[in-house]
Amino acid sequence: MMMDAVNTEQAKSRLYVKETQCPYCSVQCKMSVEELAAPVAGQKVAEYTVQGVPNKASQGRLCVKGMNAHQQVFSSERLMYPLIRRQGELEPCSWDEAIQTIADRLQQLQTTYGSDAVGVYGGGSLTNETAYLLGKFTRVALGSKYIDYNGRFCMSAAASAGSKVFGMDRGLTFPLSDIPKATCIILAGTNVAECQPTLLPYFNEAKENGTFIIVIDPRKTATAAIADLHLQVKPGKDALLADAMLKVIMAAGLADSSFIQKRTTGYEQLVQEMESLNLEQAAKACGVELDLIRQAALAYGEAHTGMIMTARGVEQQTDGHMAVRHFLNLVLATGKIGRTGCGYGAITGQGNGQGGREHGQKADQLPGYRSIENEEDRAYVASVWGIDPALLPGKGVSAYEMMERIHEQEIRALLVMGSNPVVSNPNVRLVEEGLRKLDFLVVADMFLSETARLADLVLPVTAYMENEGTLTNLEGRVLLREQGRPAPGETLDDWDILCRIAEKLGKGSLFQYGKAEDIFNELRIASRGGVADYYGITYERLRNEQGVYWPCRSVDEQGEGMLFHERFAHVDGKATFTPGASQGWDDVSEAFPLILTNGRILAHYLTGVQTRRSPALAARELENYVELHPSTAARHRIRDGEWVEVQSAYGSFTVRSRIKASIREDTLFVPMHWGGIQNVNRATRPDLDPFCRMPGFKTAAVKIQPLRLV
Ligand SMILES: Nc1nc2c(c(=O)[nH]1)N[C@H]1C(S)=C(S)[C@@H](COP(=O)(O)OP(=O)(O)OC[C@H]3O[C@@H](n4cnc5c(=O)[nH]c(N)nc54)[C@H](O)[C@@H]3O)O[C@H]1N2
Ligand SMILES: Nc1nc2c(c(=O)[nH]1)N[C@H]1C(S)=C(S)[C@@H](COP(=O)(O)OP(=O)(O)OC[C@H]3O[C@@H](n4cnc5c(=O)[nH]c(N)nc54)[C@H](O)[C@@H]3O)O[C@H]1N2
Ligand code: SF4
Ligand SMILES: [Mo]
């Protein structure tokens, strides 16, 4: 340890400076954390200085979450040893007992109920190495088909749309540095200003260049504040809005016929179908003035270059897959992809939201974006893993459907790694009932999350500063996060835990790794030749080049920042238009007259397990609330700041009111960062998108009433 004094007056000693990466969102900002020990009243108390480190994505910026992320690492609430449930209470136990208990219980349950009686539930915060190993562990060590992960709730609509339309799914089809080169940008259902704050300067730079920015959101968000045009759409109506824009573009003769002819299929059918679309009716259904829709369509259609980006506002819908595809129709019809200043971007969410979805955590997927239902893919991956392809299970079910199988007791044991499903699933009443019915629940986490509280065994894991691994940011850039601190207490790395369980299950020979890099080297081979090909990426390159884009097929290849320059990834090289109208969700009734939507705020992250352990972040927003329009509040006789109950057909939650003129009158907005009685998911609905199994988080019919003693 370095002990040089940096402040002579206070004689602070500098213990440590390390470069690391923020554990939160998909930008994956690089930072340095300097630890100082200052003598205060005779005691050594640590102080920390956090600074952004220049890199290609965040260019050295950090947002308030990144600035304070270290506080969770040093939280006194960190789990330091395994906990086992005895007589109803969680008590400390040794790793030996924990791992032995897991192996015994899982084997028992599989002997009684079959291999598929055990499920695994992963997350998009896990490194590529852990995500990859979790898929292998489930299929090889457990022999179960049931694995899925929280990315199902996050990326699946855009991912499946990208695969269908382009033949490939990667968050952005362009490098971030291209954003200021676009003449028109549409931001649909994405609140970059609060969710990827360090990206905002790219958009501000674009504005300085004269870029016309259109925001589509039911609320005037901090992102809408930078817009030249804000379409305050009714929740659930994005597909229809995109169709209306397309019709305007077609009628104005702004379609790019040469691009359409050379690079796409399916346009003629779309043209025919568009004929029957009535623009006045569509505008009315979307809750947006037709004139504004026209302005937006013409601005995008007439611009030489342009980008469309979507996030969860458009995607977390029961027609989310189709809604994204209808926006992609706009991209293809105007030929705005595959050249500088153009493209489509699904703004990914979690730190490894992108990589987490490429290497086998999904029910139907094998590493490198291979399919578990394709014979060639199975044979290839089985050969890398050294097993008979016949032993690989088939495809399982999506995250929420796994919860239904748990509720039906078809799945009897569950291992959760990197998620808090009892807060983040829709319709959480059913989810909690199900998890309580499990014969055996194991949760690996840094904290006693709401889900960990229900577990029979809780496994303490290392935090972002304490382990090594790669994460893939929203651009598809793979980044190496190196270990900065030793593992505290008895915490272990996630991958190490999986290897130890595999060993006890008698599969140790297939899980021999000394360090994360060994797993990455196997992942490189397993992904080789797949859509998400990581073969050419090595730890050494990641150290030297500050990250490498996938696909990267050989060690001398650069990796592609801009995709689809000459061809799309389908076999014929063409992209496909999407026909078929989508009217969107519209289910309000007299009993439930308002639309409940939800999302994020700047200071908190997902279910809040981590950010609530950071005092500086927790203090910014201590409890949950519902945003509602002044006239809606008046109609329901609700005062600002009072307790209200929001109820749907599925359940209710209780929060304080926050009256804001920036939201539509027919819509309520509630942050998703709190559990228990304040959890918005007590009222969300279980319906899933038929294509990608994404829940319709962003729309539920509800009523609201003040909770007042009369
Ligand atoms: N501060 C913070 N940042 C985060 C996260 C976090 O928890 N906190 N989480 C990360 C993760 S995992 C994710 S997935 C991303 C999410 O990033 P975003 O998708 O940008 O975040 P959300 O707030 O869920 O939704 C975005 C916007 O959609 C709007 N919206 C709601 N319904 C509709 C609709 O029907 N149509 C349209 N067009 N818009 C609608 C909401 O008003 C909201 O402003 O953020 C990442 N970054
Ligand atoms: N109503 C509503 N619900 C939503 C959404 C919404 O917009 N609205 N968004 C959805 C989306 S996009 C997402 S991504 C999900 C996220 O939902 P969750 O997966 O529940 O999200 P987190 O709160 O990040 O939970 C991660 C847990 O894993 C732990 N953890 C973090 N890093 C690691 C690690 O490296 N290893 C291990 N073992 N544990 C770790 C954290 O402490 C935390 O307890 O929520 C979804 N739910
Ligand atoms: S939360 Fe996102 S934008 Fe903020 S510092 Fe972390 S990675 Fe960067
Ligand atoms: Mo997400």
Side-chain angles (χ1 to χ4, degrees), residues 253-314:
L254 294 169
D256 181 340
S257 44
S258 125
F259 181 92
I260 292 169
Q261 200 226 326
K262 279 197 217 119
R263 305 212 41 197
T264 69
T265 55
Y267 188 63
E268 296 71 27
Q269 196 186 340
L270 189 61
V271 173
Q272 275 177 14
E273 286 185 4
M274 279 294 145
E275 275 168 20
S276 59
L277 183 79
N278 179 310
L279 281 178
E280 280 78 18
Q281 280 171 8
K284 194 157 175 268
C286 294
V288 181
E289 277 175 45
L290 181 54
D291 184 45
L292 297 183
I293 298 179
R294 270 191 220 283
Q295 281 180 38
L298 295 177
Y300 179 74
E302 284 168 0
H304 295 302
T305 53
M307 292 175 170
I308 298 184
M309 294 175 222
T310 65
R312 307 309 87 76
V314 168

Side-chain angles (χ1 to χ4, degrees), residues 133-447:
L133 206 64
L134 203 58
K136 178 175 174 183
F137 173 84
T138 310
R139 276 72 176 240
V140 176
L142 297 174
S144 169
K145 68 178 177 186
Y146 286 128
I147 175 167
D148 213 58
Y149 78 124
N150 67 12
R152 181 69 70 170
F153 300 155
C154 189
M155 304 303 314
S156 59
S160 55
S163 299
K164 186 80 192 169
V165 172
F166 304 138
M168 171 174 171
D169 147 52
R170 194 185 79 181
L172 304 188
T173 64
F174 50 83
L176 285 168
S177 53
D178 263 15
I179 291 175
K181 298 174 191 155
T183 330
C184 177
I185 297 176
I186 299 179
L187 296 171
T190 161
N191 187 7
V192 182
E194 296 202 63
C195 297
Q196 291 82 14
T198 55
L199 296 188
L200 208 57
Y202 288 105
F203 295 95
N204 286 331
E205 196 186 327
K207 273 193 83 85
E208 280 165 23
N209 295 344
T211 305
F212 192 82
I213 298 185
I214 301 162
V215 167
I216 304 175
D217 197 301
R219 302 181 303 139
K220 287 193 189 86
T221 57
T223 307
I226 65 158
D228 297 284
L229 185 58
H230 176 203
L231 307 184
Q232 207 163 354
V233 68
K234 190 169 169 183
K237 292 296 185 189
D238 291 279
L240 190 58
L241 181 62
D243 284 355
M245 287 174 68
L246 183 62
K247 177 140 185 166
V248 173
I249 286 175
M250 285 172 166
L254 294 169
D256 181 340
S257 44
S258 125
F259 181 92
I260 292 169
Q261 200 226 326
K262 279 197 217 119
R263 305 212 41 197
T264 69
T265 55
Y267 188 63
E268 296 71 27
Q269 196 186 340
L270 189 61
V271 173
Q272 275 177 14
E273 286 185 4
M274 279 294 145
E275 275 168 20
S276 59
L277 183 79
N278 179 310
L279 281 178
E280 280 78 18
Q281 280 171 8
K284 194 157 175 268
C286 294
V288 181
E289 277 175 45
L290 181 54
D291 184 45
L292 297 183
I293 298 179
R294 270 191 220 283
Q295 281 180 38
L298 295 177
Y300 179 74
E302 284 168 0
H304 295 302
T305 53
M307 292 175 170
I308 298 184
M309 294 175 222
T310 65
R312 307 309 87 76
V314 168
E315 299 160 22
Q316 288 174 330
Q317 310 278 0
T318 39
D319 71 342
H321 166 90
M322 274 299 175
V324 172
R325 285 175 64 182
H326 284 242
F327 276 105
L328 295 182
N329 280 345
L330 289 173
V331 174
L332 297 179
T334 59
K336 287 192 176 59
I337 191 157
R339 56 191 171 92
T340 306
C342 293
Y344 165 71
I347 303 192
T348 65
Q350 299 173 88
N352 199 26
Q354 180 67 48
R357 74 185 198 244
E358 298 160 359
H359 299 295
Q361 284 191 90
K362 252 173 87 193
D364 58 351
Q365 191 197 52
L366 291 171
Y369 238 123
R370 289 190 157 86
S371 164
I372 206 157
E373 293 188 294
N374 175 301
E375 286 310 321
E376 260 173 57
D377 288 352
R378 290 169 65 87
Y380 178 73
V381 173
S383 74
V384 178
W385 288 349
I387 59 166
D388 179 348
L391 292 177
L392 276 179
K395 92 172 182 184
V397 296
S398 74
Y400 179 74
E401 290 169 292
M402 242 165 66
M403 293 300 160
E404 291 178 332
R405 303 278 160 110
I406 288 169
H407 197 264
E408 291 152 14
Q409 294 200 292
E410 193 180 320
I411 298 175
R412 314 286 306 210
L414 184 72
L415 166 64
V416 179
M417 188 166 263
S419 183
N420 188 13
V422 81
V423 180
S424 54
N425 267 253
N427 191 26
V428 288
R429 206 164 48 177
L430 173 134
V431 175
E432 182 165 347
E433 262 175 36
L435 293 179
R436 285 185 190 281
K437 283 194 212 171
L438 279 169
D439 290 295
F440 192 53
L441 173 63
V442 183
V443 176
D445 206 299
M446 288 94 65
F447 298 104

Side-chain angles (χ1 to χ4, degrees), residues 21-68:
Q21 219 161 290
C22 176
Y24 300 126
C25 87
S26 52
V27 188
Q28 284 301 286
C29 303
K30 290 272 185 191
M31 58 170 88
S32 71
V33 181
E34 184 176 347
E35 193 169 326
L36 299 166
V40 176
Q43 274 184 322
K44 278 207 162 179
V45 175
E47 282 177 19
Y48 302 93
T49 308
V50 180
Q51 274 179 324
V53 168
N55 67 94
K56 287 176 189 151
S58 64
Q59 302 173 323
R61 295 180 286 272
L62 286 179
C63 81
V64 65
K65 287 187 298 305
M67 290 297 289
N68 293 292

Side-chain angles (χ1 to χ4, degrees), residues 7 375 393 438 456 558 569 622:
N7 180 328
E375 286 310 321
L438 279 169
D456 299 289
Q558 267 305 303
L622 283 169

